[in-house]
Amino acid sequence: ELKVEQNPLFLSMQEGKNYTIYCNYSTTSDRLYWYRQDPGKSLESLFVLLSNGAVKQEGRLMASLDTKARLSTLHITAAVHDLSATYFCAWGNDYKLSFGAGTTVTVRA
Amino acid sequence: DVKVTQSSRYLVKRTGEKVFLECVQDMDHENMFWYRQDPGLGLRLIYFSYDVKMKEKGDIPEGYSVSREKKERFSLILESASTNQTSMYLCASSSQFTGFEAFFGQGTRLTVV
């Protein structure tokens, strides 16, 4: 049975500090995706990681993929209030994506 | 920009009604998906389609069916709505030519009373 596990599920961040969200998956894949969801809104694609060792960065967010460890991380640098949202990782299997439960991030002053 | 449009943002239906949720995408994507989202459970795949008239069950297909008569349109049908189908429903599309990255519609919040 495929499992996609994110941790933590809730993350309270202090502005200006760095944090990491972890995504573990149980079955080999070379495709991993990160999405952001704001309250009441749909999902917005952040990163697509298509190979082992892939690293992508956009602003204060950086995502990486280690297929051997079956682990992806989303690193947040110097958190700001605008980053408050729920972040999902998703594992790719043929056509389908399987999602983790999401990490709800709150950034406080 | 990829655009995935769901026909309704909010729906309220009665128990036992037949409910249709419609989704249209404008990027000629071959794959389309229906997910439901519930607090603490993430997104769960109901059905998906990789071609016109083709459909495959996802993780939680019970109580649902789908229709894909045209490439751009994917419909989710609740045969007889029940209160445990109250949820947020998200449609998505993707293509092998863009790494199967899924693009989502705005969601339909369905309440069954």
Side-chain angles (χ1 to χ4, degrees):
Chain A
E1 178 190 346
L2 168 67
K3 289 185 179 179
V4 182
E5 294 185 348
Q6 281 183 242
N7 69 84
L9 296 182
F10 298 92
L11 187 51
S12 179
M13 298 185 183
Q14 189 172 353
E15 277 188 340
K17 294 198 172 180
N18 303 333
Y19 298 87
T20 301
I21 300 170
Y22 298 89
C23 177
N24 290 90
Y25 53 96
S26 60
T27 306
T28 301
S29 172
D30 57 4
R31 290 189 284 125
L32 198 291
Y33 308 79
W34 285 95
Y35 288 85
R36 168 182 172 143
Q37 185 178 38
D38 292 303
K41 301 286 181 69
S42 191
L43 276 74
E44 172 192 357
S45 179
L46 291 174
F47 299 110
V48 179
L49 304 170
L50 297 178
S51 62
N52 185 39
V55 177
K56 290 197 175 179
Q57 183 163 4
E58 179 75 31
R60 299 174 187 275
L61 301 178
M62 184 175 73
S64 65
L65 178 61
D66 182 344
T67 58
K68 293 179 182 177
R70 298 179 187 173
L71 171 68
S72 181
T73 59
L74 181 65
H75 188 72
I76 299 168
T77 301
V80 293
H81 179 72
D82 285 352
L83 294 178
S84 295
T86 299
Y87 294 85
F88 292 92
C89 66
W91 170 94
N93 175 26
D94 292 331
Y95 317 100
K96 302 181 297 182
L97 299 186
S98 297
F99 284 80
T103 297
T104 299
V105 168
T106 304
V107 182
R108 64 187 192 282
Chain B
D1 277 356
V2 175
K3 194 162 186 182
V4 181
T5 304
Q6 295 180 229
S7 54
S8 305
R9 287 296 305 274
Y10 301 94
L11 276 179
V12 180
K13 296 293 183 180
R14 295 193 180 277
T15 300
E17 277 193 79
K18 191 169 186 176
V19 181
F20 293 85
L21 303 183
E22 307 285 347
C23 176
V24 177
Q25 52 96 4
D26 66 359
M27 284 303 292
D28 201 36
H29 284 175
E30 66 273 21
N31 307 311
M32 295 189 75
F33 308 86
W34 278 105
Y35 290 88
R36 66 177 279 178
Q37 183 178 17
D38 300 288
L41 297 178
L43 277 72
R44 293 179 292 168
L45 182 63
I46 304 171
Y47 267 96
F48 68 101
S49 169
Y50 54 89
D51 200 353
V52 175
K53 296 191 185 294
M54 305 304 290
K55 60 185 179 184
E56 287 200 22
K57 295 180 180 179
D59 300 316
I60 52 165
E62 296 77 20
Y64 304 93
S65 63
V66 291
S67 173
R68 192 165 181 204
E69 297 296 319
K70 294 184 178 181
K71 189 175 185 179
E72 67 270 20
R73 187 179 297 270
F74 193 34
S75 302
L76 179 69
I77 304 154
L78 285 65
E79 298 292 343
S80 177
S82 64
T83 55
N84 63 12
Q85 292 178 310
T86 291
S87 187
M88 170 70 88
Y89 290 87
L90 292 165
C91 174
S93 71
S94 75
S95 172
Q96 62 175 320
F97 302 108
T98 53
F100 297 101
E101 179 183 9
F103 295 88
F104 283 84
Q106 76 276 31
T108 297
R109 185 163 293 282
L110 173 67
T111 303
V112 182
V113 298

